Amino acid sequence: GQNIDQPTEMTATEGAIVQINCTYQTSGFNGLFWYQQHAGEAPTFLSYNVLDGLEEKGRFSSFLSRSKGYSYLLLKELQMKDSASYLCAPMDSNYQLIWGAGTKLIIKP
Amino acid sequence: GAVVSQHPSWVICKSGTSVKIECRSLDFQATTMFWYRQFPKQSLMLMATSNEGSKATYEQGVEKDKFLINHASLTLSTLTVTSAHPEDSSFYICSARVGGRETGELFFGEGSRLTVL
């Protein structure tokens, strides 16, 4: 079957760094997306990885290891507005995104 | 980035009535749009794939006669929840990819929160 494993909730301090891990199992693989979703709002795109390695985009970076079925999202210099759910969504062989429940990130002052 | 707009953002209706939600791609053409439903603290659930000019493709377990999808143009898809019941209360979100690239990022509408009394 297809599944995604992310921590349900994480807490971090403003200004710090946090890493959100994601392991996945899919039927085929066509890349992995990370989305941010604030409470009551629709998801917004953060990153897309299709090759192994680290992709850096400002304060956010995303890493992928296809052989391990593993990805992480790294958030630096955390701000209060980063409090949100972070969704790891791999894409299977049919180009369908597989969605987990996401990781709720709580930022404390 | 591309813009996808949904309307209405909030809707409250009585049980048994029908509700229509519109999804528009404002600055690009979308031959395919996706409709999701999300219950509190749960993952996005793909309901159906809306294809311009043809019938929608529904996911297993989603009643096509209850959730009517019409993709009449390259910029508009509509979802009609027919004979709505309280258990249909949820957050409905549409999305689309630019240029139809299968690995392109999804742009989401703002979502429509439906409450059925």
Side-chain angles (χ1 to χ4, degrees):
Chain A
Q2 308 199 99
N3 69 279
I4 297 171
D5 192 20
Q6 289 180 248
T8 304
E9 188 174 296
M10 298 180 71
T11 303
T13 305
E14 190 177 15
I17 299 173
V18 71
Q19 178 174 310
I20 302 174
N21 295 323
C22 169
T23 57
Y24 62 89
Q25 288 180 311
T26 55
S27 301
F29 182 75
N30 279 298
L32 184 145
F33 291 81
W34 282 94
Y35 280 84
Q36 180 191 60
Q37 186 177 24
H38 285 99
E41 298 181 11
T44 54
F45 170 80
L46 289 178
S47 67
Y48 172 62
N49 294 62
V50 65
L51 299 176
D52 289 350
L54 187 69
E55 294 273 348
E56 297 186 73
K57 190 186 292 186
R59 294 189 298 116
F60 293 5
S61 302
S62 55
F63 172 85
L64 175 67
S65 169
R66 289 171 295 172
S67 62
K68 294 181 180 179
Y70 169 69
S71 175
Y72 69 71
L73 181 69
L74 190 71
L75 293 78
K76 302 176 184 177
E77 301 170 19
L78 286 170
Q79 301 175 10
M80 297 303 291
K81 67 178 182 180
D82 297 330
S83 293
S85 287
Y86 290 86
L87 313 178
C88 164
M91 182 178 280
D92 69 12
S93 58
N94 294 319
Y95 299 98
Q96 289 265 38
L97 284 173
I98 311 302
W99 299 92
T103 297
K104 182 179 180 181
L105 178 62
I106 300 168
I107 309 297
K108 295 186 174 180
Chain B
V3 179
V4 176
S5 179
Q6 256 182 269
H7 176 81
S9 300
W10 295 82
V11 58
I12 300 173
C13 68
K14 293 182 179 180
S15 185
T17 60
S18 293
V19 173
K20 180 186 284 188
I21 301 169
E22 293 187 348
C23 178
R24 294 180 186 274
S25 55
L26 298 186
D27 52 358
F28 68 101
Q29 294 183 329
T31 54
T32 302
M33 290 183 174
F34 304 91
W35 285 97
Y36 292 87
R37 181 168 55 181
Q38 187 177 35
F39 294 105
K41 298 184 179 181
Q42 294 189 23
S43 63
L44 289 168
M45 188 195 82
L46 180 65
M47 299 175 66
T49 302
S50 171
N51 305 297
E52 188 268 335
S54 64
K55 291 183 179 180
T57 304
Y58 289 83
E59 296 300 303
Q60 193 172 11
V62 178
E63 300 174 60
K64 62 181 180 181
D65 295 329
K66 180 169 182 62
F67 299 99
L68 301 178
I69 292 173
N70 186 297
H71 197 146
S73 76
L74 286 171
T75 59
L76 174 65
S77 175
T78 60
L79 168 69
T80 301
V81 183
T82 61
S83 187
H85 291 285
E87 57 265 30
D88 298 324
S89 297
S90 186
F91 191 46
Y92 292 86
I93 316 173
C94 70
S95 69
R97 289 196 179 96
V98 176
R101 292 180 297 120
E102 289 172 316
T103 56
E105 63 187 89
L106 281 176
F107 291 94
F108 286 86
E110 306 94 309
S112 300
R113 189 163 301 282
L114 170 64
T115 301
V116 184
L117 302 176

